[in-house]
Amino acid sequence: MEDVEETRDGIERLLRASGYRVNTARDEEEAVLKASIQNPDLILISVGLDVIQVLPVATRIRERAGLGEEVPFVIFCFPSLDEGTELAAGHNVYMTRPDNFDQLRAFLSRLLRKLPRHG
């Protein structure tokens, strides 16, 4: 659990330093609450769970927070993926295991450019 927290906090600092607005959640309940209030452009999930366990978590967050299918979910640091791998795991759900932060930042940037601008 500690390594997940360290990863989350480190990614948060790096994304903020790159100019992103970032809100973090420590668990599914907090993610649902924050996502329902803040209308995020993208949800980034960092867990060490198996894909069979994490995809339902992403689905529940999307449904319970009232997010549309247009909000991408990125699940990263999957232990079963080779480093440098990105793959689609469902409609607007992606899994990635970047080699480094620059690769993660580039992937997120590509996804965000595809989104329609909020008015």
Side-chain angles (χ1 to χ4, degrees), residues 51 55 75 87-91 93-95:
V51 66
L55 288 177
I75 303 161
L87 60 95
H91 183 69
V93 177
Y94 305 89
M95 292 188 299

Side-chain angles (χ1 to χ4, degrees), residues 33-79:
L33 177 65
K34 287 185 174 186
S36 63
I37 293 169
Q38 296 167 350
N39 195 25
D41 292 323
L42 181 142
I43 303 256
L44 182 63
I45 301 175
S46 171
V47 292
L49 300 174
D50 184 89
V51 66
I52 294 170
Q53 296 170 306
V54 77
L55 288 177
V57 170
T59 300
R60 284 194 306 268
I61 292 170
R62 184 186 302 278
E63 289 172 357
R64 293 179 59 211
L67 301 175
E69 291 289 327
E70 71 279 0
V71 177
F73 276 65
V74 177
I75 303 161
F76 79 102
C77 293
F78 249 85

Side-chain angles (χ1 to χ4, degrees), residues 20 41-42 72 107-117:
Y20 289 96
D41 292 323
L42 181 142
F107 180 59
L108 297 179
S109 178
R110 285 193 312 272
L111 283 177
L112 289 170
R113 277 195 305 270
K114 293 179 184 179
L115 297 177
R117 295 284 174 214

